[in-house]
Amino acid sequence: MICGLITLVTFFIAVGGVLVKLIRTLATLESAVRELKEFITRQSGKNDYFYKELTRMDKQLASLEEKIRFVRCFDDTSL
């Protein structure tokens, strides 16, 4: 009877230790996922800003290239 009780208590201690480690790991993982979601949200905003800036700069470059082509058409030295 005592041997069975000792075995049962040892089993519960072993399972309890594994459960504590598992719960701690899940809590850490949940925290890391939350931080990752926040980072992705911030990064998405930054990406939108940079995309708009790159689009604006691309339009400016296209405009300047068109002006250069126009000037070269009427430039006497290029003939």
Side-chain angles (χ1 to χ4, degrees), residues 39-55:
F39 172 78
I40 289 172
T41 301
R42 287 192 311 269
Q43 191 63 40
S44 178
K46 289 179 183 179
N47 289 350
D48 289 342
Y49 169 76
F50 287 124
Y51 179 76
K52 289 175 186 175
E53 283 296 304
L54 287 173
T55 302

Side-chain angles (χ1 to χ4, degrees), residues 16-58:
V18 171
L19 285 177
V20 167
K21 289 178 185 177
L22 180 63
I23 290 170
R24 188 179 309 141
T25 302
L26 287 175
T28 304
L29 183 60
E30 183 179 348
S31 175
V33 168
R34 188 178 310 115
E35 289 177 18
L36 182 61
K37 283 182 181 179
E38 291 171 1
F39 172 78
I40 289 172
T41 301
R42 287 192 311 269
Q43 191 63 40
S44 178
K46 289 179 183 179
N47 289 350
D48 289 342
Y49 169 76
F50 287 124
Y51 179 76
K52 289 175 186 175
E53 283 296 304
L54 287 173
T55 302
R56 182 184 61 80
M57 290 178 185
D58 186 44

Side-chain angles (χ1 to χ4, degrees), residues 62-76:
S63 173
L64 290 173
E65 288 172 347
E66 186 62 34
K67 288 178 183 177
I68 289 172
R69 276 192 224 109
F70 181 76
V71 168
R72 284 188 180 164
C73 287
F74 296 105
D75 189 10
D76 292 335

